[in-house]
Amino acid sequence: EAAQVRISWSDVDRGPPPWLADRAAADPARFVVDRYALNRLSNRFQPLEGVRTDAVFSVDDDIFYGCEVMREALAAWEGSAPQGAPRPMVGFAARMLRNSSAYAWNSPYLVPFAKNTLFVTKGGFLHRDDLELFWRPSLQKAVALVDARTTGEDIAMSVAFAAARRLRPVHVALHEAQVTNLCCTPSKPGDEGAAVVRPRIQAKRASPVCKRALGKSLSDRKRQYRFDIQAEALRAVGPHVLGLETRKTLVAASTCALLNVTSASTATLRAGYAHGGKLVAVDYWRVPRARARERTKRLGAGSWEGGGRQKYLRADT
């Protein structure tokens, strides 16, 4: 089990809900609510005092991963370098950053599975000292944009880590049974804090908030904000950080068991990410079938995006 759970609480108008405050009060050494005086998205990467482990697992509050695959990912992180040496990011949401106004979200899920970073906000291990990299002076203009636009902290952290550590990421594949996503759990009138519960999947999808979110992951304006933050971060550190490309994907033993294979090959990954496959790409969407047919014509029938059914796991609103 986790040695300590840290919750970054930036809601200056409301305190944590009673159940969370009570849990923290009952076991203050293990459950810590880090409350901040300013409501800033960058608070999630504030260096943490009192952390007793080298490894820190960063994740949004609406994504839950299976314990077994978490243990396997942690073991991969611990075994990735000798004790005391810098370790790469190890996590579940790989990306391919490019020196342009966009990043290739689907490259890690298409042959040859190219990626050069991870978004640790979607679930990833890093060293506790790596949080300090986000606050280097050269990146503070990008951090200011993150706080002003309330998005893009995942991109800024990816660039900060790559610039400082020069290490290729370790992407861990996920079976759909190994992750649960809460999507939209908006607070209701009268709630004392965020409504953090496990809704039934059907009830979640019936929510008007989720229905709107399912139409697209980010608004066009938000997407442009993210592009601007990426461009500023790359300008600050230089495009050399984009050269950390790797084509390796770690498929843990528990994932292989769910896929009913003894080890994973390129063919296994291709089939797993294909239409009807069981591997999932964290943070992306089912493609509406009408749009899928249009994309198939443009991208080719063999493309994962044109397959008609991206794996839905998360809704950013």
Side-chain angles (χ1 to χ4, degrees):
E1 62 181 20
Q4 190 178 63
V5 178
R6 305 289 288 255
I7 297 93
S8 176
W9 194 272
S10 297
D11 191 335
V12 297
D13 297 322
R14 298 181 301 179
W19 67 265
L20 180 56
D22 292 345
R23 189 69 179 269
D27 193 355
R30 185 155 185 259
F31 292 91
V32 179
V33 180
D34 296 301
R35 299 188 64 176
Y36 296 99
L38 296 176
N39 189 355
R40 302 190 306 183
L41 189 58
S42 60
N43 287 337
R44 71 179 302 164
F45 290 129
Q46 290 285 355
L48 301 173
E49 296 183 0
V51 174
R52 304 191 297 270
T53 60
D54 287 340
V56 172
F57 184 73
S58 172
V59 68
D60 289 338
D61 63 3
D62 56 358
I63 305 179
F64 294 83
Y65 293 102
C67 292
E68 190 170 8
V69 75
M70 286 274 289
R71 284 191 289 267
E72 290 166 323
L74 174 59
W77 183 86
E78 291 175 332
S80 62
Q83 184 68 27
R87 292 182 171 91
M89 287 182 176
V90 176
F92 304 115
R95 297 292 186 268
M96 184 69 178
L97 294 182
R98 302 182 300 193
N99 191 17
S100 68
S101 61
Y103 59 83
W105 66 266
N106 57 349
S107 291
Y109 312 102
L110 295 170
V111 177
F113 308 111
K115 72 278 289 184
N116 59 9
T117 194
L118 298 168
F119 283 178
V120 292
T121 55
K122 314 304 180 199
F125 287 98
L126 67 169
H127 194 278
R128 63 184 180 216
D129 294 341
D130 292 336
L131 296 173
E132 298 176 1
L133 305 178
F134 190 77
W135 302 99
R136 289 193 167 187
S138 60
L139 283 166
Q140 290 317 290
K141 186 174 180 179
V143 172
L145 286 174
V146 166
D147 289 332
R149 304 306 192 188
T150 320
T151 190
E153 83 285 12
D154 44 11
I155 297 172
M157 185 62 185
S158 293
V159 173
F161 184 93
R165 298 295 186 234
R166 310 289 181 91
L167 296 171
R168 302 180 191 278
V170 178
H171 175 213
V172 182
L174 275 175
H175 189 278
E176 61 185 2
Q178 294 173 312
V179 59
T180 299
N181 188 267
L182 299 185
C183 178
C184 316
T185 55
S187 297
K188 300 176 182 178
D191 278 353
E192 297 183 46
V196 184
V197 295
R198 271 185 176 271
R200 294 180 59 182
I201 298 299
Q202 294 302 320
K204 176 187 71 174
R205 291 177 179 171
S207 161
V209 177
C210 279
K211 284 183 176 180
R212 289 194 298 271
L214 284 168
K216 54 183 177 180
S217 59
L218 294 168
S219 68
D220 291 340
R221 181 171 60 179
K222 205 79 164 181
R223 188 177 296 112
Q224 185 59 52
Y225 291 162
R226 291 173 65 81
F227 295 163
D228 293 344
I229 291 165
Q230 176 177 313
E232 170 53 33
L234 290 175
R235 183 205 63 76
V237 304
H240 62 277
V241 301
L242 304 176
L244 300 173
E245 180 179 339
T246 179
R247 297 181 178 184
K248 295 181 180 178
T249 302
L250 172 64
V251 186
S254 61
T255 308
C256 286
L258 289 167
L259 293 171
N260 198 28
V261 297
T262 56
S263 62
S265 62
T266 297
T268 302
L269 289 171
R270 183 191 295 113
Y273 286 121
H275 172 59
K278 296 299 183 181
L279 296 180
V280 293
V282 177
D283 207 35
Y284 282 96
W285 309 91
R286 296 179 186 274
V287 177
R289 293 195 178 278
R291 291 176 60 201
R293 286 192 294 271
E294 179 182 340
R295 290 185 179 188
T296 299
K297 293 178 182 178
R298 184 171 70 252
L299 299 172
S303 75
W304 184 70
E305 187 180 24
R309 182 172 169 265
Q310 289 181 21
K311 295 292 187 181
Y312 168 69
L313 285 182
R314 174 181 163 78
D316 283 318
T317 56

